Amino acid sequence: MTTPASGPWLIVGLGNPGPEYAMNRHNVGFMVADLLAERIGGKFKRAGKAQAQVLEGRIGPVGPANRRVILAKPMSYMNLSGGPVNALKDFYKVPPANVVAVHDELDIDYGTLRLKLGGGDNGHNGLKSMTKAMGPDYHRVRFGIGRPPGRMQVADFVLKDFSSTERKELDYFVDRAADAVEALVIEGLERAQSAYNS
């Protein structure tokens, strides 16, 4: 299935608001969204009643491949992301297939990316909330964080900062994830998958 190019795209970085969560594994979606905002050259602003920070801009080369995008970071905490995302989708008249969620993924090795359209939530509370609010037919850019070591609980693992070893490569992986989002929006899912799914 090819991705629809018409209409704006809503790119959602999932995470938790507040400085205490900023470097958590669960906040990698926010990190990617921040980098995309930097590339666009804009700053996030609070979006009215939507409980999210938003930035409107364009990505891609000048011409038919140029895309209007709305970058968003829900400020509702991860497990309530669906409400703000759905409100933004409706406000900007974005079809569900033009919504992209960027999120951490436990079942993929650290730094590995997987792009897909639709599917389950795999226990991810942000995706669970989004799917409940708007159905499952949106794109996902899944950023691998690996499984917790030993007997560490999943909740503790995702709410911990990346380790010092992981941080050495984090900027590179976040940069690559931002590239993957741009490729998905500009070139479509299949081409982005062949370039970035590893």
Side-chain angles (χ1 to χ4, degrees):
M1 180 178 176
T2 55
T3 51
S6 59
W9 285 76
L10 175 60
I11 300 166
V12 181
L14 293 178
N16 287 307
E20 67 273 33
Y21 299 107
M23 289 305 295
N24 285 182
R25 293 182 178 92
H26 223 18
N27 268 45
V28 76
F30 273 18
M31 295 173 200
V32 175
D34 285 337
L35 179 57
L36 287 165
E38 206 177 292
R39 290 181 180 184
I40 287 170
K43 285 196 165 40
F44 281 101
K45 294 187 175 74
R46 196 78 188 204
K49 298 174 183 171
Q51 246 194 320
Q53 289 186 354
V54 171
L55 168 64
E56 291 182 66
R58 300 193 78 85
I59 61 174
V62 175
N66 191 260
R67 302 279 182 261
R68 178 175 168 236
V69 296
I70 298 100
L71 288 178
K73 297 192 294 185
M75 292 287 117
S76 56
Y77 291 99
M78 182 69 87
N79 59 350
L80 299 171
S81 301
V85 175
N86 200 41
L88 291 170
K89 174 184 76 70
D90 291 347
F91 179 78
Y92 288 103
K93 299 180 173 55
V94 178
N98 279 27
V99 176
V100 182
V102 185
H103 64 92
D104 57 303
E105 179 65 63
L106 286 159
D107 287 336
I108 305 174
D109 290 341
Y110 174 60
T112 299
L113 296 175
R114 293 269 195 286
L115 284 69
K116 69 174 190 169
L117 174 63
D121 57 56
N122 205 19
H124 191 287
N125 288 332
L127 296 182
K128 200 175 288 182
S129 178
M130 280 182 63
T131 297
K132 188 176 175 189
M134 53 183 262
D137 299 324
Y138 54 91
H139 285 89
R140 298 101 193 274
V141 174
R142 304 155 73 205
F143 186 111
I145 59 168
R147 302 292 306 180
R151 296 187 176 181
M152 186 188 285
Q153 293 296 311
V154 164
D156 294 333
F157 179 69
V158 297
L159 292 174
K160 279 207 171 6
D161 287 359
F162 284 102
S163 70
S164 54
T165 307
E166 288 169 332
R167 278 202 296 272
K168 287 174 185 161
E169 292 182 294
L170 183 59
D171 286 350
Y172 168 76
F173 289 140
V174 167
D175 195 65
R176 194 164 180 273
D179 290 347
V181 172
E182 291 182 347
L184 168 61
V185 169
I186 295 163
E187 299 174 34
L189 179 61
E190 288 89 350
R191 291 181 78 170
Q193 282 176 323
S194 65
Y196 292 97
N197 277 17
S198 41

